[in-house]
């Protein structure tokens, strides 16, 4: 595992983050559901390094902004597919690093 000592509970929360990201990529959940799930789970893992949390939040916020702009314009979030895919990939890598596993595609 990474250089921090995480509890089994925190590892499960990170695994749930990974699962949410996989489910979104597989189109099993909406972007709103992904954002809600990730936001809640991030609150459940307080022992992550501050720089990790900052980077995670930046990608989460980028997804939230894409969703908000699409809603405001009356568009589907698919107009931001490239940006969304990049943020999802970055989040998968961040989570995988904490779990010491390769990111799921």
């Amino acid at each position: 595992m990474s250089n921090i000592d995480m509890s089994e509970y925190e590892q499960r929360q990170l695994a749930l983050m990974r699962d949410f990201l996989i489910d979104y990529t597989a189109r099993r959940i909406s972007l709103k559901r992904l954002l809600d799930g990730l936001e809640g789970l991030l609150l459940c893992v307080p022992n992550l390094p501050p720089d990790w949390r900052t980077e995670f939040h930046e990608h989460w916020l980028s997804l939230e902004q894409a969703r908000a702009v699409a809603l405001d314009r009356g568009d589907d979030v698919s107009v931001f597919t490239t940006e969304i895919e990049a943020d999802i990939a970055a989040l998968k890598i961040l989570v995988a690093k904490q779990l010491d596993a390769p990111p799921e595609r």
Side-chain angles (χ1 to χ4, degrees):
M1 189 141 82
S2 70
N3 58 0
I4 62 170
D5 184 29
M6 283 194 298
S7 71
E8 186 178 323
Y9 171 78
E10 290 171 314
Q11 290 176 9
R12 286 194 311 266
Q13 303 319 297
L14 285 164
L16 287 171
M17 286 180 180
R18 179 195 58 214
D19 294 346
F20 268 102
L21 291 161
I22 292 167
D23 285 347
Y24 178 78
T25 302
R27 301 179 190 269
R28 290 189 288 259
I29 62 171
S30 67
L31 184 57
K32 179 176 180 357
R33 178 71 180 113
L34 171 67
L35 290 165
D36 291 346
L38 292 178
E39 183 178 33
L41 289 167
L42 186 60
L43 296 172
C44 296
V45 284
N47 294 323
L48 293 170
D51 57 332
W52 187 96
R53 294 177 74 79
T54 298
E55 188 173 352
F56 185 95
H57 189 259
E58 287 171 359
H59 292 292
W60 179 91
L61 185 58
S62 178
L63 292 170
E64 178 64 34
Q65 289 171 336
R67 181 179 171 276
V69 169
L71 284 172
D72 188 53
R73 293 180 182 169
D75 289 335
D76 186 78
V77 294
S78 63
V79 299
F80 296 106
T81 297
T82 302
E83 295 87 349
I84 289 171
E85 287 176 354
D87 286 314
I88 296 292
L91 288 169
K92 284 181 177 180
I93 290 168
L94 283 170
V95 171
K97 283 181 181 177
Q98 289 302 314
L99 291 171
D100 274 348
E104 293 286 332
R105 301 260 178 218

